[in-house]
Amino acid sequence: MLDEKKPRETIETEIPMGTVHPAALEPYRVRLFVEDEIVQEAEITVGVNHRGIERIMEGLPVEKANALTEKVCGICSNAHIWNSVRTAEMGLDIEIPERASYIRIIMGELERLHSHFLYLGHGCEVLGHETFSMRAFYLRESIMELLHMIGGNRVQYGCSIIGGVRPRCELDDSRINKLTDSLNNVEKGLTNFAERVSSDPVFLSRVEGIGVIPQKQALKLEVTGPTLRATGVPKDLRTIMPEYNPFDFNVITQEDGDVKANLLMRVLEAFEAIKIIRQAISNLPKGPIVDRSWEMADCDTIHSYIEVPRGTLYHSYAIEDGRLRGSVIRTPSMTNIGAMQYACIGDHVTDAQLCIVQCDPCFTCTDRAVEIIKR
């Protein structure tokens, strides 16, 4: 029998994760310092997976450099090329056809759906619920088929070009019907998924009050996207992007800042994404999908910010003699990974892998990754 009067011994353990780990889908390294089952501290090393894309883009023709940005992230490839193209359009004062803008919105929201379902699928897997994980991946597969139908690829769709979208991304009646039917099925499946997840006591016990980031700390760390909105901050750049002016949608927020709030954020934002796509389909303007009448010109550094599935994405560069100069790409993952260190500190984290679920990184590491995290 255990002697209740004897002082309880605390065991301190260091748990290394990475650079490749089932809960960290691309290379970065996490060291978790654990007392019994409580994570007390975390040390995160990024920059392991260096691609050097910004340097490769230097001096390339602008349109060729834009296409290269799809390689930054396999999950957000459409977002990167959209923002890179958008940067040139801002500098060259190009107004794209309205129909092209709607198609870009459809592709952007489809990518938001597949990204959120990927988050839910891997999150449920890490949390130990294989059935919920498979249901989320099943929903994501329907979205991947739609992205493949429009862009011709499952990962890099190459939809946006300077002046609009590629001809292969035109939406005819058959594609619109396929979009409509698939979205109806996805919404039904998502509703069922949400009802089951929110009523499962075992699942909820693993996410409620876990990995909490208070709102004040999230703002201090410049957390972005759904991770910030999970703390109650209604910041979503889509509300100020002119491309989204024609669409009615709600900015979803949660208050608790824990893993449960982050999971609910993705579920509820998925419903809003479906609503936006339906509006775009119903009100899709007639007319061309690309304007090639523009002329290349020199531009000083142009800055473009858009809202992508994980938060604020920043692209900037200058144009000189038709070539790109001084490219800077800042993904939302850089600040969200930094917040993981805070979420791991204290007695509110009880699982060594849950902090990975909280920060939602897309793992894009550039030359400035370490400096960004330190800031």
Side-chain angles (χ1 to χ4, degrees):
M1 295 180 61
L2 294 175
D3 185 357
E4 295 181 358
K5 295 181 180 180
K6 185 178 180 180
R8 184 177 178 181
E9 182 181 359
T10 299
I11 300 175
E12 298 180 356
T13 308
E14 176 186 333
I15 302 176
M17 296 173 63
T19 54
V20 177
H21 188 275
L25 303 183
E26 289 193 36
Y28 71 100
R29 187 169 184 269
V30 183
R31 295 170 66 200
L32 298 171
F33 301 93
V34 181
E35 291 183 4
D36 293 336
E37 295 183 352
I38 309 300
V39 179
Q40 297 292 350
E41 191 175 349
E43 178 185 282
I44 302 167
T45 305
V46 296
V48 187
N49 191 21
H50 173 244
R51 297 179 177 89
I53 288 178
E54 294 160 321
R55 291 185 179 180
I56 297 172
M57 292 169 64
E58 180 68 26
L60 290 179
V62 173
E63 292 188 274
K64 186 174 182 179
N66 287 337
L68 188 60
T69 60
E70 282 196 305
K71 311 299 188 291
V72 172
C73 178
I75 303 171
C76 305
S77 60
N78 178 75
H80 278 282
I81 193 169
W82 179 13
N83 202 26
S84 186
V85 163
R86 188 177 190 261
T87 304
E89 290 168 346
M90 293 169 63
L92 299 172
D93 196 23
I94 299 171
E95 185 174 349
I96 71 169
E98 193 176 12
R99 185 178 180 89
S101 180
Y102 273 58
I103 294 175
R104 286 183 181 180
I105 294 295
I106 291 171
M107 291 295 289
E109 294 306 310
L110 285 174
E111 187 168 73
R112 191 178 311 279
L113 285 170
H114 109 68
S115 177
H116 282 0
F117 291 154
L118 181 71
Y119 173 93
L120 293 170
H122 281 299
C124 292
E125 180 184 22
V126 169
L127 291 165
H129 207 304
E130 186 175 347
T131 300
F132 286 167
S133 176
M134 291 298 102
R135 286 178 178 271
F137 277 115
Y138 180 78
L139 292 173
R140 178 177 178 266
E141 187 60 26
S142 297
I143 302 301
M144 298 302 293
E145 290 178 1
L146 294 176
L147 289 166
H148 180 266
M149 176 188 72
I150 299 173
N153 289 296
R154 286 174 56 91
V155 178
Q156 297 173 2
Y157 330 106
C159 179
S160 296
I161 56 175
I162 298 178
V165 298
R166 294 186 186 278
R168 73 176 183 223
C169 298
E170 175 63 288
L171 296 179
D172 56 21
D173 290 341
S174 64
R175 287 183 167 186
I176 289 174
N177 291 336
K178 173 68 172 176
L179 265 171
T180 302
D181 293 341
S182 293
L183 286 176
N184 290 338
N185 292 331
V186 167
E187 187 175 44
K188 291 177 183 177
L190 180 59
T191 301
N192 180 267
F193 176 86
E195 290 174 349
R196 295 196 61 182
V197 166
S198 61
S199 62
D200 188 303
V202 175
F203 185 84
L204 292 176
S205 69
R206 297 174 181 176
V207 296
E208 288 182 322
I210 303 298
V212 178
I213 301 179
Q215 184 182 106
K216 182 178 179 180
Q217 193 69 24
L219 291 169
K220 180 180 178 180
L221 295 171
E222 298 186 9
V223 172
T224 184
T227 307
L228 176 62
R229 293 192 286 275
T231 68
V233 180
K235 183 178 180 181
D236 188 326
L237 288 188
R238 289 178 295 174
T239 59
I240 61 174
M241 289 174 61
E243 293 92 334
Y244 280 89
N245 285 344
F247 303 99
D248 176 39
F249 63 96
N250 297 315
V251 176
I252 303 299
T253 60
Q254 296 289 308
E255 299 297 328
D256 296 332
D258 57 3
V259 174
K260 177 186 174 182
N262 276 267
L263 290 167
L264 288 175
M265 281 298 307
R266 274 70 181 186
V267 172
L268 298 176
E269 283 196 354
F271 284 112
E272 295 300 311
I274 293 172
K275 183 166 73 174
I276 292 172
I277 296 170
R278 282 179 174 153
Q279 292 176 60
I281 293 172
S282 300
N283 304 312
L284 189 62
K286 303 291 185 181
I289 60 172
V290 63
D291 176 10
R292 301 295 290 178
S293 64
W294 53 272
E295 294 183 1
M296 186 63 70
D298 289 353
C299 300
D300 293 332
T301 301
I302 318 129
H303 309 272
S304 179
Y305 297 84
I306 66 172
E307 184 76 20
V308 301
R310 287 172 170 80
T312 300
L313 173 64
Y314 169 75
H315 278 241
S316 74
Y317 55 77
I319 300 175
E320 179 182 308
D321 296 328
R323 296 181 178 273
L324 185 144
R325 302 294 182 190
S327 172
V328 175
I329 301 172
R330 187 172 190 260
T331 74
S333 296
M334 292 301 98
T335 50
N336 288 347
I337 289 176
M340 190 199 307
Q341 289 181 295
Y342 179 84
C344 288
I345 297 173
D347 60 3
H348 49 260
V349 173
T350 57
D351 189 303
Q353 296 184 356
L354 292 183
C355 57
I356 305 293
V357 182
Q358 171 68 295
C359 80
D360 187 21
C362 76
F363 319 113
T364 302
C365 300
T366 65
D367 291 332
R368 284 171 301 284
V370 176
E371 286 74 16
I372 290 170
I373 291 296
K374 288 179 179 178
R375 291 205 300 269

